[in-house]
Amino acid sequence: MLSRFQPQLLSVLRVIAGFVFSLHGWQKVFGAFGGLSPNLPPGTLNMLMAAGWIETIGGALLMVGLFTSPVAFVASGEMAVAYFVGHVSRAGKILPMQNGGDSAVLLSFIFLYLCAAGGGAWSVDKIMGRDKKET
């Protein structure tokens, strides 16, 4: 029933996922939404700040649909690393419902899909003719 809106819904998915991704970056980089815990293990802050900049800049690029496929690829990888390094290793449990990594898993696979599918009908990539995918 909604398949005729697939290109537009792909864009909506990209915008929402990019926004959620960027919120995590704003938390790490700018201290928004409570910021980072002051009790971080040594060396963790540098890794989290690098992740925060990927999330902040990558989220903004994804929201507008610029360089969607390469940015989504990097974002997918970052979320996979976040899941295994940040959630599985910290909690010692593999299931997302047990280690709090639900959003990392979902975002990783959403970004992997966006890497293959492109930015959709409403993206800067589409306007600039960079997104040649059938949408």
Side-chain angles (χ1 to χ4, degrees), residues 38-116:
N39 304 321
L40 293 171
T44 305
L45 185 59
N46 290 337
M47 181 176 62
L48 288 174
M49 289 305 287
W53 282 112
I54 291 170
E55 293 161 358
T56 300
I57 296 167
L61 290 170
L62 288 169
M63 281 190 278
V64 299
L66 182 60
F67 306 118
T68 302
S69 289
V71 171
F73 181 77
V74 170
S76 177
E78 193 236 328
M79 286 289 91
V81 169
Y83 180 72
F84 288 105
V85 172
H87 294 279
V88 172
S89 68
R90 183 183 61 207
K93 298 180 187 313
I94 191 75
L95 294 177
M97 64 184 349
Q98 294 178 311
N99 63 32
D102 304 62
S103 62
V105 169
L106 287 172
L107 284 173
S108 182
F109 282 95
I110 288 169
F111 293 144
L112 187 61
Y113 174 70
L114 289 174
C115 179

